[in-house]
Amino acid sequence: MTTAAAIIPHWNHCDLLDPLLSSLHAQTRPFDEILLVDNGSTDGSVEIARRLGARVLSLEQNLGFAAAVNRGIAAVDADWLAILNNDVTLAPDWLEKLLATSASFATGKLLSAADPSLLDGTFDEISRAACAWRCGAGRPDGPLWSQSKQIRIAPMTAAIFRRTLFDELGQLDETFGSYLEDVDFGIRCALAGHPGEYIPSAVAWHRGSATRGAWNSDTVKQISRNQILLTFKYFRGAPRWPLVAGQVLWGLVALRHWRGAAYLRGKIAGWNTARALYPKNHTDDRMARLAAEGEREILTLQQQTGFDWYWRVYFWLLPR
């Protein structure tokens, strides 16, 4: 019999636990185990999670999202692992719908909890700039986003993965801490020939940035840093102009939100870390094809749904 476990990295914000865990307990196909990996919360989250029926793995400090997921993977025994943010709620048939996949991993449609007529996202794509897009984010829901399809990268906001993937490819790269660790893992899956599936009938609602807040300085620094990690890990030797253009443009977006200093601190931290960790990595043909295909998908979806400022300028600078 196929088994499925939920792994939920968590840090404070105990108010998120009741709606999340209630939706997990209400699944038409029940989870065999629900594990909350607590990153050193100080607000009573551990006691509340246990009272709400979750097993809790308590860490002494906040080790980041990737490390918490890895501790969770090591602590559960199941065929399928659902990795969930603490600020999502799941439709009752979410797990049942996703477990019908024949792919190595699967994700569903994420709607905005604040406005369910809008998408929070679907699947992720990576560009030649080593910058990712959560496809559909902020767009109205509609037929374009309601078609099942093969995908390369699933956001670990709410997705399921075969345990054998982690046995083969290893766990999440803890160097990333939080943010883009799911993009990194998706790239590893794609390069190893393990596609996933987007199943839009599996619906979840996401608050988004509930732990730190939108455009928090630490968030901007981490994303900026981790773009450099992706660059060194997968894009060494790739054409420089897409990397420079895409990441400088992302810095301008951060500057528009008064986070220019955080962006620069992230780039410096990423450069120092990546040079030590990935000194010999080099782009190969598979990665070049993956990034080119991802960028074409981003362009197509932007053309169909209206350009974000960032992508409009990016594709103007890099005409195809």
Side-chain angles (χ1 to χ4, degrees), residues 7 39 43 49 70 79-80 101 115 128 140 172 181 189 191 197 215-216 219 222 229 246 252-253 269 307 319:
I7 299 171
N39 260 323
D43 66 346
N70 288 345
D79 303 310
W80 284 94
T101 187
D115 183 353
R128 292 182 297 152
L172 303 189
E181 72 293 315
C189 290
L191 294 177
E197 185 177 6
W215 291 98
N216 174 278
T219 299
Q222 277 292 107
L229 297 189
L252 293 178
V253 176
F307 278 90

Side-chain angles (χ1 to χ4, degrees), residues 261-284:
Y263 164 83
L264 291 174
R265 289 196 300 270
K267 291 303 182 197
I268 293 169
W271 183 270
N272 292 334
T273 301
R275 283 194 304 171
L277 288 178
Y278 313 120
K280 298 180 180 179
N281 291 47
H282 198 276
T283 302
D284 62 19

Side-chain angles (χ1 to χ4, degrees), residues 165-166 169-173 181 183-194 233-234 290:
L165 267 184
F166 298 102
L169 303 178
Q171 296 184 343
L172 303 189
D173 187 342
E181 72 293 315
V183 172
D184 170 72
F185 189 75
I187 290 172
R188 287 155 58 192
C189 290
L191 294 177
H194 294 297
K233 193 171 182 180
Y234 300 108
L290 173 65

Side-chain angles (χ1 to χ4, degrees), residues 33-245:
E33 183 172 5
I34 298 171
L35 177 68
L36 184 120
V37 184
D38 186 77
N39 260 323
S41 294
T42 56
D43 66 346
S45 287
V46 170
E47 294 76 15
I48 292 171
R50 286 176 176 150
R51 188 170 70 245
L52 294 172
R55 180 162 76 94
V56 177
L57 175 61
S58 296
L59 307 179
E60 293 184 358
Q61 57 183 321
N62 190 349
L63 300 179
F65 185 91
V69 169
N70 288 345
R71 302 304 184 276
I73 292 170
V76 300
D77 182 16
D79 303 310
W80 284 94
L81 306 176
I83 299 174
L84 303 168
N85 278 14
N86 61 358
D87 58 347
V88 300
T89 54
L90 309 178
D93 58 356
W94 182 87
L95 181 60
E96 181 181 355
K97 295 279 191 181
L98 292 186
L99 285 177
T101 187
S102 59
S104 296
F105 59 91
T107 190
K109 182 185 293 183
L110 284 168
L111 298 174
S112 167
D115 183 353
S117 69
L118 299 178
L119 290 169
D120 183 81
T122 53
F123 47 90
D124 287 351
E125 287 289 2
I126 187 71
S127 70
R128 292 182 297 152
C131 294
W133 183 43
R134 179 66 46 83
C135 296
R139 268 58 173 181
D141 190 13
L144 178 64
W145 310 106
S146 299
Q147 305 169 36
S148 297
K149 64 177 295 177
Q150 183 175 297
I151 60 172
R152 287 172 277 268
I153 305 171
M156 288 186 177
T157 307
I160 66 169
F161 301 83
R162 293 186 191 272
R163 185 182 195 91
T164 52
L165 267 184
F166 298 102
D167 295 336
E168 177 184 342
L169 303 178
Q171 296 184 343
L172 303 189
D173 187 342
E174 295 185 14
T175 308
F176 284 78
S178 302
Y179 304 104
L180 300 182
E181 72 293 315
D182 47 3
V183 172
D184 170 72
F185 189 75
I187 290 172
R188 287 155 58 192
C189 290
L191 294 177
H194 294 297
E197 185 177 6
Y198 168 61
I199 303 175
S201 58
V203 176
W205 295 267
H206 184 217
R207 282 182 55 175
S209 305
T211 298
R212 288 182 169 177
W215 291 98
N216 174 278
S217 292
D218 288 340
T219 299
V220 171
K221 178 183 176 182
Q222 277 292 107
I223 294 174
S224 174
R225 168 188 180 271
N226 291 349
Q227 289 168 348
I228 295 292
L229 297 189
L230 288 176
T231 299
F232 272 72
K233 193 171 182 180
Y234 300 108
F235 292 84
R236 292 286 287 274
R240 291 187 179 182
W241 178 233
L243 294 164
V244 172

